[in-house]
Amino acid sequence: TNPIFQRELSLLNVPARGTATTTTSHHLCDDIIAKMTSSSSFSFLFLEDHEDVVAVVQNCSLLCVSLPNAYERKTRGTVWMTTHALCFEPKNDSDKDEDKEPGSRTTRTRTSALAQVFGESPGGTKRSERVEGKEAKIVKIKYEDAIGPSIDTSRVERNAVDISTAKAVLICGNERREIVRDETIVWRITMEEEEDGEESIEQRLRTPANKLLNISKQKNRQTKCEQLAFLSRQREGNLRFDEKNLRVKGETSRFDAPAAKISPLVRRAGRVRVTDAHLYFQPLIVRDSKAKKNIANWVALKDVVAVARRRYASRPVAVEVFYEVSDDDDVSNKSKSTMMRGSSVLFAFRSESAREAVIEALLKNKIDESESETTTLSRFLDPTNVEAISKVTNAWKIGDVSNFEYLMYLNALSGRSFHDVAQYFVFPWILKEYGGENDSNNGFNSDKHSSNSANIDVSEASVYRDLSKPIGALNPERLKYFQERMKHMEDMQKRNQHSQKPFLYGTHYSAPGYVLFYLLRCAPKHNLKLQNGSFDKPDRLFKSISETWSSCLNNNADLKELIPEFYIPECSRKFLRNNLKLNLGHRASAPHSKIDDVVLPQWAKNDPVRFTSINRKALESETTSVHLHEWIDLIFGVFQNDCKNKMNSFHPLTYEGEINVDDAASIDEQMSLETQINEFGQTPKRIFGDVHAKRRREAWRRWKDDGAVGAKRKTNRKSQSMISQLEYENLGTTTEDNDDDDDNDDEDEMVTPIPMDIRASVIDTIRLVSRRADDYLFVGDDDEEDAATNGIEALKLNDSPSRRAASPSNNMLERSFSDAHGIDTSLDKQIESVVLGNFRAPKPSDGDGADGSHVVKKWSRRTHNGAVTALECFADSNVAYSTGSDGFVRIIDMKNGHTIRAVPASSSTITNLAVLRQSVVASDARRLPIALYSTSNGNLFAYNGEYGSVDRVSSTNLTPITAIKVPSMSTEQGRAVTSHANGAIALRDIEKRVEVSVFGTNEFSGDGANDVLVDPQCHIIVSAHDSGVVKAFDTRSSALKSVWKQSVASRRNIAARSIAFAPLGDGLGDALGFIVAVDDSGQCCALETRMRGRIVAAADTTTTSSFANALVSANTSLRVNVDGEKNIVLSGFAQNVFRVGKEAGVLRDENDFRDLELRDDHDDDEKKKHNSPSERIFTAACFKTGSDRDVFVGAANGEVSAYAHRSSHIE
């Protein structure tokens, strides 16, 4: 009854054997070859439902022997044996084809029908000379079409079998499948004999194929299904993981079980192995079973960032593993991760217990600190974790998460996946004005705008769809039909004539057919599989936005919502334009109108990028933000099965828990239920038990420009992150990761054209929230007090940033630096305030000559569960950054010491800290800066205090970092300098994550660097070393060795511990002044920078102290600073005391230094003065506080304290 097949029957009406003419066969093949446009290689998309590949037999050839003088030559290729058919894939390597020897005239002149089917030219010439460049087609011979009870051994040719059929299917790439019919078609498959004497065709092909053929001939469908299911399950269970596939010898296995990798419309059986280092998937069937190369896909566990539970065919047996390949990994390099292209992979297991076991294995404690967040991020993808979900919701409420990001998160949280078209991401129709004939009443509310307007104003509420109603309820007239039908179901149920639960809508808003309807032009093979080898009727294809919207409003069988692609400009041209030049037919109403690109609304100006950009802008608009929570209640919340109040009820098969597939009475019934579920679609898992909260009124403003051309877009992958005017023309057309030259059985595993970085934005969103979890503990409504934003004034976010760094990303730092304003070098005083800070040591007290000056404690807070390792203050925002041995980075309020933000940045000790001060004259100086910190294992990270995100800047091979410094001028804020334990000094470009230069590489010799300085313009770098030497390097020079050296140690084997700049005169100007250095014994030296490091002064800083030599011990680490008055200040002694000296330019001897005590009680000065050394040893200090008298210190017990001059404290 299919008209296409009827046409083919008339066309392919080949006479019975013995009566066929050459002309008939030529017409048959000429018609087939005329439609060939692309090459065909076997794809799992060519399989039918519940059809599996059993074996792959290579080095075969195919010949049709039923029509004399029509098929004269064998075609080489590979046989794919499936549970339903034999598929012959012709060989694409033309170089190995042999020329046919000259023969009769007939042989040279007659066109071989089989040759034309497989793209060969007349006369048996090479494939490189094939007619019109036509490509081969795959021949699929189904067992059920076989004539006779078995496949017979050929009596004519050795190592060959003959199979007689009534028809065969020809498959070629993105084209409709052709069916060749005749009374009898005899195919001969020959297998070349192997030199090593391997199994014959009898063992490898005939015996197993006959067994499958006999099963297919079973008249009882249930028996046939049970036998095929048993064989498949047995074959999958017998697969064992090949230990040769392990990447590292000695890997410990944590989990090993049968599984299937799920991709759209494809189930790929295999085995999953989890070790202590890698996740492996070994497919059951590979193209080349004899290949010596690694046949297992793998991904390193260090790259796994989250794990989420999923359903597959309504069973709770699947798991989705999200992973990120680090920047130094090239996915095209086969020595790197070879799991799958994309950002995640979906596995289905045999049971729920197996799924839980693999999750436990993947989340087992790891050593590498970069992976410590995996468990945390996985909790945010657990729909039962109410606390985590509420934090993401709160972030959305206040505008830290956009509408697009929030919908992506809710889809992932509810079990949706890009790997399963039955559970694909669902997005709402937002606008209702598309320029159609009925658009004036779209949504069935009157509006004042012309439906055919060439422009659209997204600020007008009248152009928006009503988000409080499902698609089926937008048309009141159509809704009456659904309600009457449901009432009829209820009446039948009351009379016991209908056992099924009544429902409103018999079709779903998200189903495989709808997803692939939208993605027809970028996923034609998937559409062909879904439609049994042919595209749908032209009038039912996706051809116009306006017609599709009109159908959704008026057609009783059409209730589909949208997919995220409609809101992503980057992929718009891939699915809205016919880039593959598919032959989609002609409309019945307009025979001369060929279906090509999707017809867009007039206001899109025939530009897919403009169309999706306006959609995105509408999604982030005020109108949508006010009502989006209502649509969320319909899809993910309390009203997803409410037929009375919200008119939102679908077939019971779509809801989780309504049916258990495993309870089916038979395998046949079970398969039928699975097919219904997969074809009909599934409702997302219910997430919210109460009505969803509203978004705050002003939250939308932060995203009002999102989607606009030229707006910045975030990414944490290598792909493009900004839509510039120059790139506008190519936007949405580039391909991703499709340049793999090797055979790839997974080439069709993804249907979505969405770039990988945007698909992974779910991880970016939850990482943002997890890093700032304390900020989202409670967020009130507009009329309530917001406890999460009651922090200090400096933490108020910009009300309308075009974009912000929502996650660790390559461009996080770039965006922050791009906001920094340039600074004129004439502003020396401002630069000086950054270099020195505003702290001024109090003057010595008057009296009997004793040094009685001191500072007293203002407050003290236990901030870390371990020693405070570094402190940095940012006076403009009145906050301080602290790091500790507990691996936390904390932002604290300088007024009271309360923690504002905290992030568990590392499982290792954080050793060093530096703050990137964007500009001392920036108009937006209250924004929190980026901090750089290093860990004990040598990694360098960036922490964005404004947005709570952490990004690895580098994984160094230069041994652990001992100090980090950044230039103070805003124009150089993309640079940083690090010193290393092996003596290397690295100049780094933070934005690009590269080492610009590494100095002193020829001077290592174990001379470790302890401290480093860089001038404001990043021209001069100075370092202090274990040898007691201070070295200077010029970054403008091509030479990487020091330009001068100077020993500052008081004696041999004493290390130069710390250095600081001491300006000369008023302002820095062009002169750097002095370098002040201190060694481990407490000796301080002043070096002239312009005189090649000449020492101009030296003094022992401890001899005149009231505590004498008790100040210095083996456990101390002295640090030198210069205060706002250019006085030298030393910290890090064994006692709670600083040593304050004069300016470097006038320093003479030890008498120029005095004690500055840090006291807990200003009322008991004398007692405190003569106390023995305190048990609370200070381990870090910060003088650049912005206050004249305050200083911040960190202690070994984790306390951070603020001290002020006594008079200031009393005031």
Side-chain angles (χ1 to χ4, degrees):
T1 60
N2 189 313
I4 296 177
F5 291 166
Q6 291 293 341
R7 178 183 61 81
E8 291 170 347
L9 283 173
S10 61
L11 173 68
L12 307 178
N13 187 17
V14 182
R17 182 174 181 176
T19 61
T21 64
T22 305
T23 304
T24 303
S25 62
H26 280 202
H27 285 314
L28 162 65
C29 297
D30 288 344
D31 181 79
I32 296 175
I33 195 172
K35 300 173 184 177
M36 297 180 183
T37 58
S38 61
S39 63
S40 288
S41 60
F42 183 84
S43 169
F44 281 74
L45 288 170
F46 299 155
L47 304 180
E48 299 176 359
D49 290 341
H50 307 293
E51 180 180 8
D52 299 323
V53 177
V54 175
V56 180
V57 184
Q58 295 179 310
N59 300 323
C60 293
S61 60
L62 180 68
L63 175 68
C64 184
V65 298
S66 59
L67 299 178
N69 300 324
Y71 300 91
E72 300 174 346
R73 186 181 176 198
K74 296 178 182 178
T75 302
R76 295 180 178 179
T78 301
V79 173
W80 293 74
M81 185 191 308
T82 76
T83 53
H84 293 182
L86 294 176
C87 298
F88 182 81
E89 174 190 24
K91 190 167 186 158
N92 289 325
D93 187 1
S94 61
D95 295 334
K96 294 184 180 180
D97 283 349
E98 299 177 357
D99 292 342
K100 186 176 181 66
E101 295 180 1
S104 65
R105 180 179 179 182
T106 304
T107 302
R108 291 194 303 269
T109 59
R110 181 174 296 148
T111 301
S112 167
L114 184 62
Q116 291 201 28
V117 169
F118 288 99
E120 296 185 2
S121 62
T125 56
K126 290 184 178 181
R127 292 173 59 86
S128 59
E129 302 171 2
R130 60 178 65 133
V131 178
E132 301 178 2
K134 301 304 181 181
E135 298 290 348
K137 289 192 176 184
I138 290 176
V139 177
K140 186 171 185 178
I141 307 168
K142 295 185 178 181
Y143 304 133
E144 62 183 21
D145 297 327
I147 300 175
S150 65
I151 299 174
D152 299 324
T153 302
S154 175
R155 299 180 180 180
V156 178
E157 190 170 353
R158 181 182 177 184
N159 212 26
V161 295
D162 292 341
I163 178 171
S164 301
T165 64
K167 63 181 179 180
V169 181
L170 303 182
I171 305 172
C172 184
N174 298 330
E175 299 178 11
R176 291 180 176 89
R177 298 175 187 175
E178 306 287 348
I179 296 183
V180 180
R181 299 176 185 268
D182 194 13
E183 290 184 6
T184 303
I185 304 176
V186 180
W187 304 92
R188 177 168 297 156
I189 301 175
T190 306
M191 189 178 77
E192 296 181 4
E193 296 185 16
E194 301 290 343
E195 295 181 359
D196 54 3
E198 290 199 9
E199 298 172 323
S200 65
I201 196 170
E202 177 76 20
Q203 297 168 299
R204 298 188 61 187
L205 192 148
R206 182 175 177 270
T207 299
N210 272 329
K211 185 175 183 179
L212 294 169
L213 187 148
N214 292 332
I215 294 176
S216 68
K217 296 292 186 178
Q218 293 275 359
K219 294 182 179 180
N220 188 314
R221 175 182 169 85
Q222 179 175 336
T223 302
K224 178 169 63 176
C225 291
E226 288 177 351
Q227 290 180 356
L228 289 176
F230 173 79
L231 290 176
S232 295
R233 188 176 181 88
Q234 184 184 52
R235 188 172 60 256
E236 295 173 13
N238 290 338
L239 176 66
R240 292 295 177 263
F241 187 82
D242 188 351
E243 300 296 328
K244 296 179 181 179
N245 290 327
L246 293 177
R247 299 287 301 172
V248 181
K249 291 184 178 180
E251 289 185 56
T252 303
S253 177
R254 294 178 178 175
F255 175 85
D256 191 333
K261 181 175 74 69
I262 306 301
S263 55
L265 301 184
V266 173
R267 177 188 178 274
R268 190 81 184 272
R271 196 169 188 90
V272 165
R273 164 77 69 91
V274 179
T275 70
D276 54 355
H278 295 90
L279 164 65
Y280 296 92
F281 174 71
Q282 179 177 297
L284 175 64
I285 298 295
V286 293
R287 180 178 296 274
D288 187 359
S289 59
K290 300 180 182 179
K292 297 180 181 180
K293 63 180 182 179
N294 191 342
I295 62 171
N297 303 131
W298 59 271
V299 65
L301 288 190
K302 68 181 182 63
D303 293 328
V304 174
V305 294
V307 179
R309 292 171 176 84
R310 295 284 182 257
R311 288 184 295 163
Y312 179 65
S314 285
R315 292 188 182 96
V317 295
V319 61
E320 187 166 5
V321 181
F322 297 85
Y323 53 89
E324 294 175 350
V325 178
S326 58
D327 292 336
D328 54 352
D329 283 349
D330 182 0
V331 294
S332 66
N333 185 339
K334 298 308 176 186
S335 67
K336 301 298 182 182
S337 174
T338 61
M339 178 56 76
M340 266 65 65
R341 291 194 298 266
S343 57
S344 67
V345 59
L346 181 65
F347 292 120
F349 296 88
R350 290 187 171 184
S351 65
E352 185 176 4
S353 60
R355 181 188 70 174
E356 296 304 314
V358 74
I359 292 176
E360 181 182 357
L362 289 169
L363 297 182
K364 196 171 183 179
N365 292 335
K366 305 168 187 174
I367 298 176
D368 193 329
E369 96 291 334
S370 64
E371 301 161 338
S372 60
E373 66 178 357
T374 303
T375 302
T376 301
L377 297 184
S378 299
R379 292 193 185 103
F380 280 85
L381 291 173
D382 182 358
T384 64
N385 194 326
V386 178
E387 181 181 357
I389 298 171
S390 66
K391 292 176 181 177
V392 182
T393 300
N394 288 339
W396 168 77
K397 284 175 63 177
I398 65 177
D400 281 2
V401 171
S402 69
N403 288 339
F404 176 83
E405 291 171 330
Y406 191 51
L407 290 178
M408 291 286 283
Y409 169 71
L410 293 182
N411 273 278
L413 180 66
S414 64
R416 314 302 278 186
S417 173
F418 287 110
H419 299 279
D420 187 356
V421 288
Q423 301 181 93
Y424 201 78
F425 280 47
V426 57
F427 269 59
W429 288 89
I430 295 296
L431 298 172
K432 65 177 183 179
E433 293 291 330
Y434 298 105
E437 296 178 358
N438 300 322
D439 277 3
S440 59
N441 291 320
N442 277 354
F444 301 90
N445 294 317
S446 61
D447 65 65
K448 59 184 179 181
H449 297 279
S450 171
S451 61
N452 295 314
S453 173
N455 296 292
I456 189 170
D457 185 0
V458 295
S459 65
E460 291 289 340
S462 57
V463 302
Y464 288 85
R465 164 253 180 117
D466 186 353
L467 290 172
S468 66
K469 298 177 181 178
I471 289 289
L474 291 178
N475 185 340
E477 295 300 322
R478 184 176 63 171
L479 180 60
K480 291 180 182 179
Y481 162 78
F482 291 132
Q483 290 174 324
E484 290 174 359
R485 188 180 65 176
M486 182 174 177
K487 187 176 184 302
H488 179 65
M489 291 182 188
E490 292 174 342
D491 293 340
M492 292 182 64
Q493 189 180 42
K494 290 178 182 178
R495 296 195 298 266
N496 295 325
Q497 296 178 358
H498 195 279
S499 61
Q500 193 173 59
K501 182 180 178 181
F503 55 88
L504 266 177
Y505 310 122
T507 184
H508 207 254
Y509 51 78
S510 177
Y514 295 159
V515 173
L516 296 177
F517 169 85
Y518 289 129
L519 300 179
L520 165 67
R521 289 162 178 81
C522 62
K525 289 183 182 178
H526 293 80
N527 274 272
L528 289 170
K529 176 177 173 64
L530 196 68
Q531 298 290 338
N532 295 320
S534 64
F535 295 122
D536 204 350
K537 289 185 177 180
D539 285 339
R540 292 206 296 256
L541 296 178
F542 179 38
K543 52 190 175 294
S544 166
I545 300 295
S546 176
E547 291 184 18
T548 301
W549 171 242
S550 178
S551 175
C552 291
L553 289 177
N554 301 295
N555 191 335
N556 292 343
D558 190 355
L559 303 174
K560 56 180 171 286
E561 292 278 11
L562 293 181
I563 54 178
E565 284 82 349
F566 280 84
Y567 300 94
I568 303 174
E570 286 86 339
C571 66
S572 55
R573 288 177 176 154
K574 290 184 181 178
F575 81 101
L576 293 175
R577 286 189 173 171
N578 188 13
N579 298 317
L580 298 177
K581 303 303 179 184
L582 303 174
N583 182 9
L584 302 177
H586 299 75
R587 304 178 63 141
S589 58
H592 300 291
S593 176
K594 183 179 180 180
I595 297 176
D596 196 20
D597 296 339
V598 177
V599 179
L600 303 177
Q602 291 189 27
W603 46 260
K605 304 186 186 305
N606 198 31
D607 186 349
V609 176
R610 176 180 172 84
F611 171 71
T612 49
S613 296
I614 292 175
N615 275 349
R616 181 66 166 267
K617 191 172 183 179
L619 178 63
E620 303 298 343
S621 67
E622 180 178 14
T623 301
T624 303
S625 294
V626 169
H627 297 287
L628 186 59
H629 67 281
E630 297 175 302
W631 186 84
I632 291 174
D633 282 334
L634 296 173
I635 307 300
F636 306 104
V638 293
F639 301 132
Q640 68 173 199
N641 194 8
D642 187 336
C643 59
K644 294 184 178 179
N645 299 319
K646 293 295 182 179
M647 304 302 166
N648 193 42
S649 175
F650 297 88
H651 194 285
L653 275 178
T654 68
Y655 293 99
E656 181 182 19
E658 288 288 338
I659 189 170
N660 189 346
V661 177
D662 294 325
D663 291 341
S666 65
I667 294 293
D668 185 25
E669 182 180 345
Q670 181 176 308
M671 290 181 175
S672 298
L673 285 174
E674 289 180 2
T675 301
Q676 291 181 49
I677 291 170
N678 289 330
E679 291 184 357
F680 194 82
Q682 298 179 49
T683 301
K685 183 180 181 67
R686 178 173 169 178
I687 301 172
F688 303 103
D690 297 320
V691 175
H692 196 280
K694 299 179 180 178
R695 203 181 195 196
R696 288 193 161 188
R697 284 187 295 267
E698 299 301 316
W700 71 277
R701 295 186 180 277
R702 302 190 62 196
W703 305 93
K704 62 181 181 180
D705 295 326
D706 200 36
V709 174
K712 288 185 177 182
R713 304 188 57 78
K714 74 171 187 296
T715 173
N716 71 333
R717 308 299 191 280
K718 300 177 183 178
S719 59
Q720 171 64 28
S721 63
M722 182 186 296
I723 308 171
S724 66
Q725 292 295 337
L726 293 176
E727 299 158 326
Y728 181 83
E729 290 301 322
N730 294 324
L731 183 65
T733 61
T734 57
T735 58
E736 168 188 301
D737 295 334
N738 288 330
D739 299 327
D740 196 353
D741 294 331
D742 293 342
D743 290 336
N744 187 0
D745 296 338
D746 300 320
E747 60 180 354
D748 302 310
E749 73 170 22
M750 294 303 293
V751 297
T752 179
I754 300 177
M756 182 177 66
D757 61 316
I758 300 179
R759 296 203 304 270
S761 64
V762 172
I763 298 299
D764 299 340
T765 300
I766 61 179
R767 183 182 277 119
L768 161 71
V769 176
S770 67
R771 300 291 192 189
R772 300 173 52 191
D774 293 342
D775 294 355
Y776 307 120
L777 289 175
F778 173 78
V779 173
D781 295 329
D782 285 302
D783 299 329
E784 299 177 5
E785 181 181 7
D786 184 358
T789 57
N790 281 343
I792 59 176
E793 180 182 2
L795 289 177
K796 292 182 179 178
L797 299 179
N798 189 342
D799 288 335
S800 57
S802 59
R803 292 292 290 174
R804 55 97 173 102
S807 69
S809 67
N810 292 350
N811 296 326
M812 178 189 75
L813 302 175
E814 178 183 351
R815 283 190 290 273
S816 300
F817 293 136
S818 65
D819 295 335
H821 302 283
I823 181 170
D824 193 319
T825 55
S826 63
L827 299 175
D828 293 339
K829 277 296 184 182
Q830 285 89 339
I831 301 175
E832 182 176 308
S833 68
V834 174
V835 175
L836 303 180
N838 295 322
F839 172 79
R840 288 167 174 80
K843 303 295 183 182
S845 59
D846 296 330
D848 59 2
D851 187 358
S853 63
H854 58 267
V855 289
V856 293
K857 185 187 295 183
K858 295 176 63 175
W859 53 259
S860 181
R861 297 283 184 272
R862 181 69 178 273
T863 306
H864 293 274
N865 293 323
V868 178
T869 56
L871 275 172
E872 282 284 346
C873 299
F874 191 66
D876 293 330
S877 293
N878 207 22
V879 295
Y881 288 66
S882 69
T883 62
S885 59
D886 58 355
F888 272 76
V889 177
R890 296 181 182 271
I891 302 178
I892 59 178
D893 189 341
M894 291 168 60
K895 295 180 180 178
N896 51 34
H898 291 159
T899 296
I900 303 301
R901 292 178 184 169
V903 54
S906 173
S907 61
S908 303
T909 299
I910 300 177
T911 53
N912 299 281
L913 178 69
V915 172
L916 299 175
R917 302 168 186 272
Q918 294 180 356
S919 173
V920 296
V921 293
S923 59
D924 191 14
R926 292 184 302 177
R927 291 173 63 89
L928 294 178
I930 289 173
L932 299 177
Y933 66 88
S934 62
T935 57
S936 57
N937 59 5
N939 292 328
L940 183 64
F941 295 85
Y943 171 52
N944 191 319
E946 185 74 6
Y947 307 113
S949 55
V950 173
D951 185 28
R952 178 184 288 188
V953 175
S954 73
S955 180
T956 183
N957 57 358
L958 298 175
T959 71
I961 296 172
T962 56
I964 311 170
K965 295 294 170 62
V966 295
S968 56
M969 287 188 65
S970 64
T971 55
E972 301 297 331
Q973 282 289 289
R975 301 286 180 97
V977 178
T978 57
S979 59
H980 296 264
N982 63 356
I985 308 298
L987 174 62
R988 302 176 181 276
D989 189 320
I990 303 301
E991 299 177 53
K992 298 179 181 179
R993 304 193 193 187
V994 296
E995 295 169 354
V996 179
S997 301
V998 179
F999 300 93
T1001 53
N1002 60 340
E1003 303 173 5
F1004 282 2
S1005 302
D1007 189 14
N1010 299 312
D1011 201 3
V1012 68
L1013 291 176
V1014 59
D1015 75 68
Q1017 295 179 318
C1018 203
H1019 290 164
I1020 303 297
I1021 299 174
V1022 183
S1023 57
H1025 294 262
D1026 285 339
S1027 62
V1029 173
V1030 172
K1031 302 177 184 180
F1033 304 89
D1034 191 341
T1035 62
R1036 296 161 294 185
S1037 172
S1038 59
L1040 299 179
K1041 59 183 180 180
S1042 58
V1043 295
W1044 58 257
K1045 303 178 184 178
Q1046 184 61 257
S1047 176
V1048 298
S1050 58
R1051 56 186 182 271
R1052 295 183 64 180
N1053 300 323
I1054 296 295
R1057 183 58 51 187
S1058 177
I1059 50 179
F1061 279 127
L1064 177 66
D1066 292 332
L1068 292 175
D1070 187 38
L1072 294 180
F1074 300 98
I1075 301 296
V1076 181
V1078 63
D1079 68 12
D1080 281 345
S1081 69
Q1083 175 172 285
C1084 181
C1085 294
L1087 287 70
E1088 168 59 68
T1089 57
R1090 286 193 167 184
M1091 299 296 292
R1092 301 188 62 81
R1094 180 175 64 92
I1095 297 178
V1096 297
D1100 191 322
T1101 63
T1102 63
T1103 55
T1104 60
S1105 171
S1106 300
F1107 303 99
N1109 293 331
L1111 288 176
V1112 181
S1113 70
N1115 297 323
T1116 59
S1117 181
L1118 301 183
R1119 312 301 298 179
V1120 62
N1121 294 274
V1122 178
D1123 72 3
E1125 294 289 347
K1126 306 183 185 66
N1127 296 316
I1128 300 171
V1129 182
L1130 276 79
S1131 61
F1133 294 103
Q1135 275 281 12
N1136 296 342
V1137 64
F1138 294 151
R1139 292 288 287 171
V1140 180
K1142 294 183 179 180
E1143 293 183 34
V1146 297
L1147 186 67
R1148 298 185 306 273
D1149 55 32
E1150 61 270 21
N1151 294 314
D1152 290 330
F1153 284 90
R1154 55 187 173 84
D1155 288 338
L1156 177 63
E1157 295 182 58
L1158 284 73
R1159 299 187 182 178
D1160 292 348
D1161 185 0
H1162 61 272
D1163 293 327
D1164 195 4
D1165 297 345
E1166 192 66 17
K1167 180 179 178 181
K1168 295 291 182 182
K1169 180 177 179 180
H1170 296 290
N1171 250 359
S1172 60
S1174 171
E1175 293 181 358
R1176 187 175 69 255
I1177 303 301
F1178 291 154
T1179 54
C1182 180
F1183 300 90
K1184 302 174 184 178
T1185 60
S1187 171
D1188 288 346
R1189 305 266 175 110
D1190 288 358
V1191 62
F1192 287 84
V1193 294
N1197 63 356
E1199 287 185 357
V1200 174
S1201 306
Y1203 289 82
H1205 187 257
R1206 179 172 181 175
S1207 59
S1208 172
H1209 179 66
I1210 294 175
E1211 291 172 0

